[in-house]
């Protein structure tokens, strides 16, 4: 049974992870309402080409904010940076609510990307810094769990409410989060970096609960910060083999995550199910995808600190490779013999749910957690920001060019290419990626040093 200090940490982790929920609502917003927009729900019609940019321009806003936020969190702190992101999110939703033309929607989506994309940096760093080593995996995975719940929320509201009231429902979330963020204690790691020893002690006490003996946890943070301060200058530190190798591996994980095609699946779920001609209604299929995604992420959170990071990643990438092969086969049959495909009309729903579930089990949450675990404190802001920037740019390429690639090579070839890529990911994790569960930063760096040799 978890001690009270574990419960307190998890509680603060959940409050912080509402930033991920905000991001999820932004990601999932376009999928259930795209036909409403194209049918003139805004009192003006959004074309298919405009819809493509409307879905993807948010990722450019997220990419644009990552590097500034990477430096800001080390200057003004994690908590204040979270709070400063919320006005951007509200402004973005307001732009969508009052939009009288497509340009205003573009602006709103870009601003939403700026505000919500910042949380992809802040939340993984904050939750791993407030957690004890034994809970780091649980709290680190809260971000992805919140994202998938936010996507499910936007699916539900988008189906059952008008576009305007869907926006209102999504805009309420950052208002609630502002209350949660205010009560969050600042990261004790950040406070210790700034030599605010007394405040760091108070923060740690609030994160563990009254009566908890802070000696071991406090000394662990002191050692961690001292090791970072003993590192050479930033330019030299970033070029050290363990750091550069950790950066290379983390960027690879981020690219595998995005080129799995998951962004296109989330942005264009309705379009994909319409095209697949499955046996279940599009609305029910999308809701099932959202539910499966949430359940799989819950399972990942439970297993992450029991079996480690590598095993879920291996299972996730291998299953995604097999399932993508099956999806490609279905569309290959559909294009050549629609009657034969009708005999397995259950297959697209089953395969897409399985694919999203396999992604959420490993390749969804673990790259964000790994990103927050493998870098020293003196370079973490920049390296995490760089990884997130590349992640969002890759997401933009996938979402913006999805339909062009379909027109160029066809749906079957896309999924067969994804299948091959996920198999490469499997072998990358198997032979290259070190385990970070219950490992100190120094231990993780030693693992990267050994791989260099």
């Amino acid at each position: 049974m978890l001690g009270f200090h574990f419960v307190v940490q998890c509680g603060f982790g959940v409050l912080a992870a509402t930033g991920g929920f905000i991001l999820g609502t932004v990601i999932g917003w376009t999928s259930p309402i795209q036909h409403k927009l194209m049918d003139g729900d805004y009192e003006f019609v959004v074309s298919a080409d405009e819809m493509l940019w409307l879905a993807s321009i948010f990722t450019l806003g997220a990419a644009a904010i990552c590097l500034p936020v990477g430096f800001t969190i080390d200057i003004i702190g994690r908590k204040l940076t979270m709070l400063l992101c919320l006005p951007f999110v509200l402004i973005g939703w307001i732009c969508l609510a009052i939009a009288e033309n497509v340009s205003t929607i573009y602006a709103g989506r870009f601003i939403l990307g700026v505000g919500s994309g910042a949380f992809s940096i802040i939340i993984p760093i904050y939750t791993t810094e407030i957690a004890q080593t034994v809970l780091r995996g649980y709290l680190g995975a809260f971000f992805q769990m919140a994202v998938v719940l936010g996507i499910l929320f936007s699916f539900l509201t988008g189906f059952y409410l008008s576009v305007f009231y869907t926006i209102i429902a999504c805009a309420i979330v950052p208002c609630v989060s502002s209350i949660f963020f205010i009560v969050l204690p600042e990261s004790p790691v950040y406070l210790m970096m700034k030599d605010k020893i007394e405040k760091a002690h108070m923060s740690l006490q609030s994160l563990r609960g009254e009566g908890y003996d802070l000696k071991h946890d406090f000394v662990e943070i002191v050692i961690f910060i001292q090791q970072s301060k003993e590192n050479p200058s930033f330019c030299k530190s970033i070029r050290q083999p363990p750091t550069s190798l950790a950066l290379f591996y983390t960027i690879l994980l981020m690219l595998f995550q995005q080129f799995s095609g998951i962004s296109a699946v989330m942005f264009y779920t309705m379009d994909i199910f319409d095209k697949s001609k499955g046996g279940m209604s599009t609305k029910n299929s999308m809701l099932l995808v959202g539910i499966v995604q949430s359940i799989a992420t819950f399972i990942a959170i439970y297993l992450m600190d029991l079996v480690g990071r590598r095993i879920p990643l291996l299972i996730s990438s291998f299953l995604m490779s097999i399932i993508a092969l099956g999806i490609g086969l279905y569309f290959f049959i559909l294009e050549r013999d629609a009657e034969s495909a009708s005999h397995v009309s259950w297959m697209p729903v089953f395969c897409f749910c399985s694919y999203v579930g396999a992604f959420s089990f490993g390749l969804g949450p673990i790259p964000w957690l790994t990103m927050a675990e493998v870098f020293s404190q003196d370079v973490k802001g920049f390296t995490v920001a760089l990884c997130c920037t590349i992640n969002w740019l890759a997401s933009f390429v996938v979402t913006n060019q999805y339909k062009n690639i379909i027109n160029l090579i066809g749906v079957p070839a896309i999924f067969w290419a994804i299948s091959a890529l996920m198999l490469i990911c499997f072998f990358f994790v198997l032979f290259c990626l070190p385990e970070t569960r219950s490992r100190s930063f120094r231990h993780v760096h030693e693992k990267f040093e050994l791989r260099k040799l």
Side-chain angles (χ1 to χ4, degrees), residues 31 34-35 260-278 280-282 285-286 289 327 330-331 334 347-349 351-353 355-356 398-399 402-403 406 411 414-415 418:
S31 196
Q34 60 175 311
H35 290 315
S260 69
I262 197 65
S263 293
V265 171
M266 289 297 101
F267 281 119
Y268 305 113
T269 305
M270 180 175 285
D271 185 56
I272 290 170
F273 279 120
D274 284 345
K275 193 181 294 292
S276 70
K277 305 185 189 312
M280 187 183 292
S281 71
T282 301
S285 298
M286 287 183 63
V289 165
I327 296 173
Y330 172 82
F331 279 103
L334 180 65
M347 189 173 175
V349 174
C351 285
F352 274 109
C353 285
Y355 191 79
V356 171
V398 171
T399 53
Y402 162 74
K403 293 188 177 180
I406 282 181
V411 177
I414 287 178
F415 282 99
I418 289 173

Side-chain angles (χ1 to χ4, degrees), residues 263-417:
S263 293
V265 171
M266 289 297 101
F267 281 119
Y268 305 113
T269 305
M270 180 175 285
D271 185 56
I272 290 170
F273 279 120
D274 284 345
K275 193 181 294 292
S276 70
K277 305 185 189 312
M280 187 183 292
S281 71
T282 301
K283 180 188 295 186
N284 290 338
S285 298
M286 287 183 63
L287 292 178
L288 184 59
V289 165
I291 292 169
V292 168
Q293 188 180 32
S294 301
I295 293 172
T297 309
F298 270 118
I299 295 172
I301 290 175
Y302 177 73
L303 290 179
M304 212 169 289
D305 272 331
L306 292 179
V307 301
R309 312 332 182 207
R310 280 165 44 86
I311 292 177
L313 269 176
L314 288 169
I315 294 172
S316 174
S317 55
F318 183 76
L319 287 178
M320 289 172 73
S321 179
I322 299 300
I323 297 165
L325 196 65
I327 296 173
L329 179 61
Y330 172 82
F331 279 103
F332 181 80
I333 296 171
L334 180 65
E335 289 177 358
R336 282 154 182 78
D337 188 353
E339 185 177 346
S340 296
S342 67
H343 295 308
V344 285
S345 59
W346 52 269
M347 189 173 175
V349 174
F350 174 78
C351 285
F352 274 109
C353 285
S354 300
Y355 191 79
V356 171
F359 173 86
S360 302
F361 179 77
L363 199 56
I366 293 176
W368 300 109
L369 174 59
T370 301
M371 174 188 72
E373 287 185 315
V374 297
F375 300 113
S376 62
Q377 201 61 38
D378 57 322
V379 298
K380 181 178 283 188
F382 172 77
T383 51
V384 168
L386 180 60
C387 291
C388 286
T389 301
I390 291 172
N391 183 290
W392 287 117
L393 289 176
S395 178
F396 172 77
V397 171
V398 171
T399 53
N400 190 263
Q401 295 301 311
Y402 162 74
K403 293 188 177 180
N404 290 334
I405 297 172
I406 282 181
N407 294 333
L408 182 64
I409 65 174
V411 177
I414 287 178
F415 282 99
W416 289 337

